[in-house]
């Protein structure tokens, strides 16, 4: 039924339709077909949608349409007050939303800016001073600018909270409330969240007025174009199995999830030692490092991007074929977020989980949430002995969290030998250039080159290693 609807029928302006056509979208996705008319009608919305379903366009297209009437080419900052505020939990998501707004709004003279932490405030301050109609922001940095008095919300008509559940997980609720207090009462508010916990409903109650509730595929929140596979494997075989999987012909690139920043850096290092180009992306990286790692991955410069949950939230990687859970997440909802990085917008994706005996309870929790059994496939040479009795520590680490969506800072990864054994540099097959965890703040220091890549693939200029580093 939704497939029958066209973008033209949704009532969007000619300029927006042209931009959508330029992107090659033929029909609206389910969330777009449902949300666009409601948002165009000025209603508040509380929406849950699968990741990768096109929800960004779902709110951006009608938002642009609603602001088209005030779009102008004046050079006066006063003519460009903040009309719409879009808040997102992470810098990466803020950047992606900003890119989407620019893409879909390219035929409209509306100014957009993204403000997020980890980079200098000055250019952001300058864009705010120049005037901006659509402001995409992470809560913390937005408050910094508010304190500097460079942002004014007296003309703000639309508020969007994207990935609201993650914002609450990350402890942004007080920041969100402080921003809310500065917005005009008379406005349209849109709340997008992957899950609807008690906390989210409470936030929605305080924020939304008579919202239209939109839920896409509530029962099975997993994108159907993703296939799921579980390999049971002993912890000390995980790395070997991962390498085996990555070296298979069908797998050209994989986004690999681990639970901690330390594990991410270490795993990227170990992969590089085994001739696999790898980068790590996590919260300890500065913004430039994170952006460059993501760009290198998107460009196909690296085979493996090892990520923590927070860093990977909201990433949109075109045609990503594989997500690998090297470690299962503590909260089952994070499994859905993780695998939602693949199989986006109708393309096929594969989610592979490497599960050891002490993670079986986490697997059960995930299956319970999905209401489905994930397919178990034995890989010859990696058959697990999972009958090992679990220690008390392991039981504690895999216990279901009391509150869904609450991050449990587990040290489970430390149980895996690859994270407990010391790293021995200087393997004959790999060149490790300034390990990811070396703490250097220069982004180019964090790339790991496999020997194969050093020999064959040229790196983008940004990743070239400064001569002085080679001597270190
Ligand atoms: P999102 O869920 O907003 O992160 O979007 C996921 C991906 O779907 C992005 O790469 C969009 O460019 C793409 N996309 C959004 N809407 C459509 C559509 N109607 N048809 C095809 N692709 C789309």
């Amino acid at each position: 039924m939704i497939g029958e609807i066209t973008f033209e029928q949704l009532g969007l302006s000619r300029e927006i339709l042209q931009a959508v056509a330029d992107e090659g979208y033929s029909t609206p996705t389910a969330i777009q077909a449902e949300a666009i008319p409601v948002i165009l009608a000025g209603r508040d919305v509380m929406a849950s949608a699968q990741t990768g379903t096109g929800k960004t366009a779902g709110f951006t297209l009608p938002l642009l349409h609603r602001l088209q009437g005030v779009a102008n080419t004046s050079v006066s900052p006063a003519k460009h007050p903040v009309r719409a505020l879009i808040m997102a939990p992470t810098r990466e998501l803020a950047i992606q939303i900003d890119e989407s707004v620019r893409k879909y709004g390219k035929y409209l003279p509306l100014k957009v800016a993204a403000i997020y932490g980890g980079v200098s405030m000055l250019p952001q301050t300058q864009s705010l001073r120049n005037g901006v109609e659509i402001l995409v922001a992470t809560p913390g940095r937005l408050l910094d600018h508010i304190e500097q008095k460079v942002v004014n919300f007296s003309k703000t008509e639309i508020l969007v909270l994207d990935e609201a559940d993650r914002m609450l997980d990350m402890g942004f609720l007080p920041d969100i409330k402080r921003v809310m207090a500065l917005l005009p009462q008379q406005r349209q508010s849109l709340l997008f969240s992957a899950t609807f916990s008690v906390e989210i409903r409470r936030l929605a109650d305080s924020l939304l007025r008579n919202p239209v509730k939109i839920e896409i595929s509530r029962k099975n929140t997993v994108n159907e174009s993703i296939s799921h596979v579980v390999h049971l494997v002993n912890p000390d075989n995980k790395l070997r199995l991962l390498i085996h999987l990555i070296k298979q012909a069908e797998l050209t690139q994989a986004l690999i999830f681990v639970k901690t920043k330390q594990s991410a850096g270490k795993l990227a290092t170990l992969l590089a030692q085994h001739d696999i180009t790898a980068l790590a992306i996590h919260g300890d990286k500065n913004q430039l490092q994170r952006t460059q790692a993501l760009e290198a991955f998107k460009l196909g410069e690296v085979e493996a991007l090892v990520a923590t949950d927070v860093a990977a939230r909201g990433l949109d990687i075109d045609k990503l074929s594989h997500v690998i859970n090297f470690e299962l997440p503590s909260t089952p909802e994070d499994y859905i977020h993780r695998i939602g990085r693949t199989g986006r917008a109708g393309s096929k994706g594969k989610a592979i989980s490497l599960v050891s005996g002490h993670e079986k309870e986490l697997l059960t929790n995930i299956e319970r949430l999905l209401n489905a059994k994930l397919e178990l496939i034995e890989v010859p040479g990696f058959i697990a002995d999972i009958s090992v009795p679990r220690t008390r520590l392991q039981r504690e680490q895999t216990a279901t969290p009391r509150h869904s969506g609450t991050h449990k800072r587990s040290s489970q990864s430390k149980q895996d030998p690859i994270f407990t054994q010391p790293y021995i540099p200087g393997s004959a097959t790999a060149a490790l250039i300034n390990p990811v965890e070396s703490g250097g703040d220069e982004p180019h220091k964090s790339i790991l080159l496999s020997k194969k890549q050093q020999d064959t693939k040229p790196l983008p200029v940004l990743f070239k290693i400064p001569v002085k580093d080679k001597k270190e």
Side-chain angles (χ1 to χ4, degrees):
M1 98 226 111
I2 275 161
E4 302 304 314
I5 298 173
T6 63
F7 277 108
E8 286 73 16
Q9 287 168 322
L10 292 174
L12 295 164
S13 73
R14 195 169 41 83
E15 290 82 355
I16 296 171
L17 289 175
Q18 184 57 53
V20 165
D22 292 351
E23 289 305 308
Y25 304 164
S26 49
T27 44
T29 63
I31 183 74
Q32 291 164 3
E34 291 215 27
I36 292 173
V38 172
I39 300 173
L40 287 178
R43 295 286 305 272
D44 282 6
V45 164
M46 176 168 174
S48 90
Q50 299 170 19
T51 50
T53 51
K55 73 179 156 66
T56 316
F59 63 75
T60 304
L61 300 178
L63 181 150
L64 287 165
H65 182 101
R66 299 211 73 206
L67 297 184
Q68 190 161 351
V70 293
N72 68 87
T73 52
S74 166
V75 289
S76 161
K79 296 279 183 202
H80 303 280
V82 178
R83 305 275 183 183
L85 170 64
I86 304 172
M87 287 218 268
T90 64
R91 311 154 192 188
E92 281 76 16
L93 186 56
I95 291 169
Q96 278 174 196
I97 296 171
D98 173 77
E99 285 169 358
S100 296
V101 175
R102 287 174 198 277
K103 242 169 22 185
Y104 305 136
K106 67 183 179 189
Y107 298 115
L108 299 173
L110 287 166
K111 301 215 285 180
V112 57
I115 61 175
Y116 44 82
V119 293
S120 161
M121 281 180 74
L122 276 178
Q124 299 175 355
T125 304
Q126 202 46 54
S127 356
L128 289 169
R129 290 221 161 99
N130 291 342
V132 42
E133 273 95 3
I134 302 166
L135 182 58
V136 188
T138 54
R141 178 52 70 92
L142 178 60
L143 281 170
D144 293 341
H145 284 288
I146 288 171
E147 274 159 22
Q148 303 282 316
K149 301 200 182 342
V150 284
V151 52
N152 180 310
F153 294 118
S154 59
K155 297 269 173 34
T156 304
E157 303 160 34
I158 305 174
L159 167 72
V160 182
L161 291 189
D162 195 15
E163 308 212 342
D165 50 343
R166 181 54 53 132
M167 284 202 267
L168 298 199
D169 284 355
M170 291 170 72
F172 281 136
L173 185 60
D175 290 355
I176 293 173
K177 285 189 170 159
R178 281 177 64 194
V179 176
M180 289 317 73
L182 302 172
L183 300 179
Q185 290 289 317
Q186 196 59 42
R187 60 163 198 262
Q188 182 178 25
S189 303
L190 317 171
L191 183 145
F192 287 77
S193 183
T195 52
F196 281 115
S197 60
V198 175
E199 290 85 358
I200 289 287
R201 284 176 203 281
R202 209 171 289 145
L203 175 67
D205 285 346
S206 68
L207 193 78
L208 308 173
R209 259 184 281 181
N210 190 20
V212 175
K213 297 194 177 70
I214 300 175
E215 274 183 274
I216 302 293
S217 302
R218 191 182 190 287
K219 283 203 187 74
N220 175 13
T221 45
V222 171
N223 186 333
E224 275 154 21
S225 54
I226 300 173
S227 63
H228 305 252
V229 168
V230 169
H231 299 308
L232 295 178
V233 57
N234 289 331
D236 45 0
N237 268 341
K238 271 196 180 184
L239 178 64
R240 228 166 36 87
L241 176 55
L242 177 67
I243 292 164
H244 170 80
L245 294 170
I246 294 177
K247 292 196 169 168
Q248 282 177 355
E250 62 154 304
L251 199 158
T252 48
Q253 266 201 321
L255 178 61
I256 302 165
F257 282 97
V258 292
K259 288 167 79 165
T260 66
K261 300 168 194 172
Q262 291 76 15
S263 308
K266 193 149 190 180
L267 186 55
T269 303
L270 288 163
L271 290 175
Q273 280 186 283
H274 288 84
D275 220 12
I276 291 166
T277 47
L279 285 172
I281 184 165
H282 55 69
D284 276 356
K285 299 280 179 193
N286 68 35
Q287 185 51 37
L288 195 56
Q289 289 172 314
R290 286 162 68 163
T291 308
Q292 289 187 334
L294 189 57
E295 267 320 294
F297 190 65
K298 284 182 174 179
L299 289 170
E301 301 285 351
V302 288
E303 293 157 279
L305 185 64
V306 188
T308 54
D309 289 291
V310 168
R313 177 78 183 192
L315 296 185
D316 180 23
I317 301 161
D318 204 22
K319 299 195 180 63
L320 174 64
S321 61
H322 288 76
V323 166
I324 300 179
N325 293 306
F326 189 79
E327 300 173 287
L328 287 184
S330 303
T331 54
E333 286 84 1
D334 277 338
Y335 178 85
I336 294 173
H337 298 316
R338 286 179 176 191
I339 64 161
R341 305 301 116 217
T342 181
R344 291 166 86 79
S347 64
K348 292 269 176 246
K350 191 163 184 179
I352 301 174
S353 299
L354 311 190
V355 179
S356 296
H358 65 275
E359 294 175 298
K360 285 198 79 183
E361 200 167 319
L362 297 176
L363 179 63
T364 309
N365 294 339
I366 290 165
E367 292 181 329
R368 201 172 293 142
L369 179 72
L370 301 179
N371 199 20
K373 277 263 169 229
L374 302 188
E375 188 184 7
L376 287 180
I377 295 184
E378 289 187 343
V379 184
F382 297 94
I383 311 297
D385 168 18
I386 55 160
S387 58
V388 188
R390 297 164 70 240
T391 62
R392 188 163 149 249
L393 177 64
Q394 285 168 342
R395 276 199 302 277
E396 284 169 10
Q397 284 163 345
T398 54
T400 312
R402 232 178 276 274
H403 305 289
S404 71
T406 304
H407 271 283
K408 193 164 171 279
R409 288 268 165 251
S410 163
S411 58
Q412 181 184 313
S413 58
K414 295 197 179 88
Q415 297 299 304
D416 288 345
I418 75 151
F419 297 135
T420 50
Q421 286 162 5
Y423 157 61
I424 302 155
S427 130
T429 54
L432 167 63
I433 294 134
N434 292 302
V436 175
E437 293 305 311
S438 64
D441 56 4
E442 291 298 314
H444 53 248
K445 288 186 178 176
S446 64
I447 191 152
L448 299 168
L449 293 180
S450 71
K451 185 168 185 304
K452 185 174 72 186
Q453 187 181 40
Q454 285 184 91
D455 292 340
T456 54
K457 289 188 201 164
L459 280 172
V461 174
L462 281 172
F463 292 114
K464 292 257 166 73
I465 309 123
V467 175
K468 69 177 173 65
D469 284 345
K470 282 186 179 167
K471 288 190 227 123
E472 283 164 10

